[in-house]
Amino acid sequence: MKNKKNKIYWLCGIIGAICFGIGDWLLGYVDPTVVNASFSVIKAGHGAEYDLSKITITLLLGVVGVPFLMLGCVKMAEFVKEDRKRRLFRFWMALLPVGWLMIHFTVSVSICVYSWGMQTLTGNMAEKLASDLLQRMQPTQIVSYLFAGIPLVLLPVYVLGGKTFLKKQSQAFTPALWMLLFSVLKFVLPPSPFSNGMDTFCMNAGMIIWFAYLMMAKDGKKQAEQ
């Protein structure tokens, strides 16, 4: 019974990652030509022809996805054996969706400002606006990536260190690994909206694969029986 209940949490995690993933795909499926060397996400496809309604959908899906992703992430703490480490892991896993949303938000807003500038002003002014905004949001982005990155690193450290009920082989599906693999595709595939979309989608792809693994695995059997 408890095993089935856990699967509800993993399903919630998948739903949350899909919500974020759809939004990231809407942001990333564009012409990937570089417009400014200092822009990591803003591309030529975010110019005057970019539909700003995609920003509205992206932000909405991000807000909807947070509670679902939160449920899946926090539940993972129950795989940790020791109480102190379990509390620490739960703390960081609770921060992961917060970082996820803020990254989502700052990227969306920067693209929105650039695209709006290209549609309303001039190319130089659009770049200046986006550049100034990104500079002001940089501290927030750094903290957000820490919120999202630390728990993703902590997960394999705990599993490989035998601190959880998960098998070490489970790390073949760990989110960080698949995020890296999907991100590398942009260097393997020819530059295109698809390869750029996969790059922006990679973080969510890693989470989807991980939660899907938890749905099917029996690693948590001992923990579930407690």
Side-chain angles (χ1 to χ4, degrees), residues 211-222:
F211 282 122
Y213 166 77
L214 293 180
M215 286 276 287
M216 297 180 291
K218 298 180 180 179
D219 298 44
K221 186 176 179 182
K222 293 180 181 178

Side-chain angles (χ1 to χ4, degrees), residues 7-225:
K7 288 187 177 182
I8 295 175
Y9 288 93
W10 313 145
L11 179 60
C12 286
I14 291 172
I15 292 171
I18 288 175
C19 286
F20 276 103
I22 293 172
D24 284 343
W25 187 264
L26 291 175
L27 296 179
Y29 191 78
V30 296
D31 175 5
T33 302
V34 176
V35 295
N36 187 311
S38 66
F39 294 163
S40 60
V41 177
I42 298 173
K43 307 294 182 182
H46 294 123
E49 301 301 318
Y50 187 74
D51 185 355
L52 288 176
S53 67
K54 293 180 180 179
I55 302 293
T56 303
I57 297 171
T58 294
L59 292 174
L60 176 60
L61 286 173
V63 171
V64 171
V66 162
F68 289 98
L69 189 61
M70 179 77 75
L71 286 169
C73 288
V74 172
K75 189 65 175 179
M76 279 192 278
E78 294 189 14
F79 286 130
V80 180
K81 297 175 182 178
E82 299 176 23
D83 288 343
R84 186 178 62 83
K85 287 185 170 61
R86 186 183 304 120
R87 289 194 296 270
L88 178 64
F89 193 65
R90 184 179 291 113
F91 169 78
W92 282 110
M93 275 296 170
L95 288 181
L96 188 149
V98 177
W100 221 262
L101 181 62
M102 288 310 301
I103 294 168
H104 204 65
F105 176 78
T106 54
V107 169
S108 297
V109 171
S110 63
I111 289 173
C112 184
V113 166
Y114 176 75
S115 183
W116 180 87
M118 289 294 289
Q119 295 174 26
T120 310
L121 306 170
T122 65
N124 287 337
M125 292 183 72
E127 285 190 38
K128 181 67 166 60
L129 279 172
S131 180
D132 287 353
L133 180 65
L134 285 168
Q135 186 175 5
R136 296 182 187 281
M137 292 194 300
Q138 190 175 43
T140 299
Q141 286 186 321
I142 292 172
V143 173
S144 299
Y145 274 107
L146 288 174
F147 281 179
I150 289 175
L152 293 177
V153 172
L154 204 57
L155 174 61
V157 168
Y158 273 14
V159 174
L160 297 176
K163 305 300 182 183
T164 74
F165 293 102
L166 293 167
K167 298 175 183 176
K168 292 182 179 181
Q169 298 92 311
S170 68
Q171 295 315 282
F173 302 91
T174 195
L177 173 62
W178 287 93
M179 290 174 191
L180 177 62
L181 292 176
F182 276 97
S183 181
V184 166
L185 284 177
K186 68 179 178 181
F187 301 109
V188 177
L189 299 174
S192 69
F194 178 79
S195 62
N196 196 65
M198 289 303 298
D199 186 39
T200 56
F201 181 72
C202 69
M203 292 175 65
N204 303 293
M207 295 302 292
I208 292 170
I209 289 171
W210 174 246
F211 282 122
Y213 166 77
L214 293 180
M215 286 276 287
M216 297 180 291
K218 298 180 180 179
D219 298 44
K221 186 176 179 182
K222 293 180 181 178
Q223 181 271 343
E225 290 174 347

